[in-house]
Amino acid sequence: MSRKIAGFLIILGVFMIFEWINLGFNLADGHETGFYVVHGILIVVNVVLGIVLGVIGWRGFRRARGE
């Protein structure tokens, strides 16, 4: 994996984590419980996916540097 791709994955992972946590804080009150359950599941899945992408990118970045 090239350093550019690894860097992109790291940046994408950080962005996804930030964006979905921000969405969780910005959900307005007044919706039914199902709305919050579905969005809670989406937030958790996407934060985990962001962490996975960041870890893959970090490992690829370290390997590209020769460590």
Side-chain angles (χ1 to χ4, degrees):
M1 176 183 310
S2 71
R3 290 182 74 183
K4 287 183 181 181
I5 293 173
F8 174 75
L9 289 176
I10 293 169
I11 292 170
L12 181 63
V14 170
F15 173 76
M16 286 180 65
I17 292 168
F18 171 76
E19 187 66 28
W20 282 96
I21 289 176
N22 191 30
L23 173 75
F25 283 119
N26 288 331
L27 289 176
D29 293 332
H31 295 284
E32 295 184 17
T33 304
F35 175 85
Y36 293 111
V37 170
V38 168
H39 282 82
I41 292 170
L42 286 172
I43 290 168
V44 169
V45 167
N46 281 289
V47 167
V48 169
L49 183 60
I51 291 169
V52 169
L53 288 175
V55 168
I56 291 170
W58 180 252
R59 288 181 181 174
F61 190 77
R62 284 193 356 216
R63 286 187 187 140
R65 276 190 12 197
E67 290 184 8

